[in-house]
Amino acid sequence: MSGRSRNTTRARVTLSDVAELAGVSVGTASRALSGNGRMRPETRRRVKDAAQSLDFRPNQQAQSLHTGRSWTVGLITTDGIGRFSIPVLLGAEDALGAGRISVLLCDTRGDLIRERHHLQNLMDRRVDGIIVTGRRTDPRPPLPGVHDGVPVVYALSPSTDPLDISIVSDDEQGCGLAVEHLLSSGRARIAHVTGPAHHAAAADRARFTERLLNDASLGFATGRAHFGDWSEAWGRRAAETVLRAAPDTDAFFCGNDQIARGVTDTLRERGVRVPDQVAVVGYDNWDAMTLASRPPLTTVDVDLTEIGRIAALRLLEAIDEKSSPGLHRVPCRLIVRDSA
């Protein structure tokens, strides 16, 4: 055996190798792989087949220099826990992954100084665009300090600027699904227990619910919505308050799943059968709450993954200078389980 070490490293496949195998020029191979330029479909297919057979990987630095793009997108979130941002991120990655675009996740923890720091880093990295999301549906000011030509899309938490692109859950439609489901099962004494009145999600869902009940010639079982916090403890206390004020309540529509789980706890402790005597519907479709509840919760799914996917698609359009500004609403889904 020879004492010389053998170099077993395979030489890097180049675009010229792909062009030679496909029988085309380097320029044609480049246009075929990037999706640019006109050519016969069979030529583009032949180039892609050649690239696949050679396991060709484009040089990202060269691509960036050639196209002026970094093939990266920033996702800025205020949701340190990740309850809302992670599904949005997964939806965005599903849409961006098909275009071989990487996502850089930045958590501001609701701190404006951190936000400015992360934004400057993203600008230094020359990202192609930015998605901004958070844990609340309250409108937020536009992201300051973004370089010209870098589009921004707001997901779940809309921008206050109507000329920005914002993707949000259609809460009015989601409340409609819940109320219609309860009404169709014969419920007529419906209580609404929700989060803090100064949160847009709580205020909006209470307003939409009241309007829907009024349209059916009904009102809240206790004459008002019950605002508190987004917790199981509040759900337990609120259920006691509602049942003392309106013992004939036959349904609870709650502003989130944590509150709904707390309501079911109180009903169970009182010996009230759910849903036979009182139905309970939650909001958000957070599996950690809905599936652990006794019984499992019927709830409104705000489809965060779809919000992320659509936000990414709108961002790609904006990167290609095909922007569609304004507020875009994503429909909710009713997930029927055992509580209603």
Side-chain angles (χ1 to χ4, degrees):
M1 184 174 177
S2 171
R4 292 178 298 174
S5 62
R6 297 177 62 188
N7 183 7
T8 58
T9 303
R10 187 177 65 175
R12 181 184 178 90
V13 177
T14 67
L15 186 60
S16 297
D17 297 326
V18 175
E20 182 178 355
L21 181 60
V24 299
S25 69
V26 173
T28 298
S30 175
R31 291 192 298 275
L33 294 176
S34 66
N36 297 324
R38 286 185 168 184
M39 65 186 65
R40 291 159 61 186
E42 55 267 31
T43 301
R44 192 182 302 277
R45 181 72 265 161
R46 195 164 71 248
V47 172
K48 289 186 175 182
D49 288 344
Q52 184 174 5
S53 68
L54 293 172
D55 196 22
F56 173 68
R57 295 288 182 271
N59 184 306
Q60 290 292 335
Q61 288 184 322
Q63 275 195 324
S64 296
L65 289 172
H66 178 66
T67 63
R69 290 179 58 177
S70 66
W71 304 97
T72 57
V73 162
L75 190 147
I76 296 178
T77 177
T78 62
D79 181 22
I81 298 173
R83 158 72 187 94
F84 295 98
S85 63
I86 289 177
V88 172
L89 172 64
L90 293 175
E93 283 193 321
D94 284 346
L96 296 170
R100 302 191 303 277
I101 296 175
S102 300
V103 180
L104 305 176
L105 179 61
C106 304
D107 179 14
T108 71
R109 305 178 197 174
D111 186 327
L112 291 177
I113 295 176
R114 284 180 179 271
E115 182 175 275
R116 287 196 294 268
H117 169 73
H118 285 309
L119 177 60
Q120 186 57 57
N121 281 340
L122 294 175
M123 293 298 96
D124 291 343
R125 289 173 177 267
R126 303 177 65 85
V127 294
D128 296 326
I130 297 172
I131 296 173
V132 181
T133 189
R135 67 166 65 94
R136 289 170 58 171
T137 62
D138 299 74
R140 56 151 294 153
L143 199 62
V146 179
H147 294 176
D148 288 343
V150 179
V152 180
V153 173
Y154 298 84
L156 190 64
S157 305
S159 169
T160 54
D161 187 342
L163 297 179
D164 286 334
I165 305 170
S166 297
I167 314 297
V168 300
S169 171
D170 190 343
D171 271 355
E172 184 171 11
Q173 178 256 356
C175 289
L177 293 174
V179 172
E180 288 165 15
H181 179 72
L182 292 171
L183 294 177
S184 67
S185 63
R187 314 293 172 162
R189 299 285 292 160
I190 300 172
H192 187 62
V193 180
T194 191
H198 65 277
H199 283 206
D204 289 345
R205 291 166 193 172
R207 186 176 72 257
F208 295 145
T209 301
E210 184 172 29
R211 183 190 306 161
L212 289 159
L213 291 174
N214 290 343
D215 288 346
S217 300
L218 298 172
F220 290 129
T222 59
R224 65 182 180 92
H226 295 262
F227 294 98
D229 55 57
W230 304 111
S231 71
E232 294 174 68
W234 163 238
R236 288 191 288 271
R237 295 196 308 272
E240 293 283 5
T241 300
V242 168
L243 293 175
R244 281 197 301 268
D248 58 346
T249 297
D250 59 12
F252 284 82
F253 174 33
C254 303
N256 80 346
D257 294 326
Q258 289 166 280
I259 294 171
R261 185 177 177 184
V263 167
T264 61
D265 287 347
T266 291
L267 293 173
R268 187 172 62 253
E269 290 166 4
R270 279 173 158 254
V272 177
R273 296 189 308 278
V274 178
D276 297 342
Q277 293 174 278
V278 177
V280 180
V281 176
Y283 210 101
D284 289 337
N285 194 29
W286 186 10
D287 285 352
M289 288 292 137
T290 58
L291 300 181
S293 179
R294 296 169 55 195
L297 290 172
T298 292
T299 186
V300 176
D301 188 340
V302 296
D303 213 345
L304 294 170
T305 302
E306 181 67 2
I307 289 174
R309 190 186 74 85
I310 292 177
L313 293 176
R314 297 293 84 81
L315 185 63
L316 291 174
E317 291 175 356
I319 291 170
D320 290 336
E321 300 182 353
K322 300 172 184 174
S323 181
S324 52
L327 194 66
H328 304 265
R329 291 183 173 85
V330 176
C332 299
R333 298 177 296 153
L334 184 70
I335 307 300
V336 179
R337 296 190 180 96
D338 299 336
S339 67

